[in-house]
Amino acid sequence: MRSLETLFVGGPLDGETLPVLVGATGKPSKVYEVPVPGDDGTIEAVHVYHLEPAGYTRRLALPKGWRYVHAPDATPSRAYRKRLRPKPAAQDGRPEQREQRERHEQPEQPEQRGQPEQGE
């Protein structure tokens, strides 16, 4: 398979040029994911890079080379999401669960409609 030296911009690979496999059209894949292993061998984080043209030709405005730009808020692919190290849960649990528990612990008082009670 053919590879192309591709520049990485931003993130931990900023300024690095790595060989990336290209398809039949000579274009690299749209997304490049870099897994970061933890101490125990599980995947701790995944850095996601998106493909952008490095420049354009003057006359026809065709892409002139490619580069990957770091996307810090991007979600990794499903293959990496399954293998990511689970984050420790808070002691109270998620806020939704906490609200449900509070609702079940405190019974709701029925609203009194009609005439107010008169004191004797």
Side-chain angles (χ1 to χ4, degrees), residues 13-85:
L13 295 178
D14 190 23
E16 297 287 328
T17 304
L18 300 174
V20 177
L21 293 175
V22 296
T25 60
K27 184 177 176 183
S29 62
K30 292 180 184 179
V31 179
Y32 192 86
E33 297 174 327
V34 181
V36 178
D39 296 334
D40 56 352
T42 60
I43 296 175
E44 188 172 300
V46 177
H47 297 288
V48 180
Y49 289 84
H50 290 286
L51 186 67
E52 284 186 358
Y56 295 96
T57 59
R58 286 187 190 190
R59 241 180 219 176
L60 299 176
L62 298 173
K64 188 177 184 181
W66 301 99
R67 68 180 184 173
Y68 281 104
V69 179
H70 186 250
D73 56 342
T75 305
S77 68
R78 187 176 302 159
Y80 284 114
R81 277 185 278 162
K82 288 180 180 179
R83 295 174 22 198
L84 278 174
R85 176 188 298 171

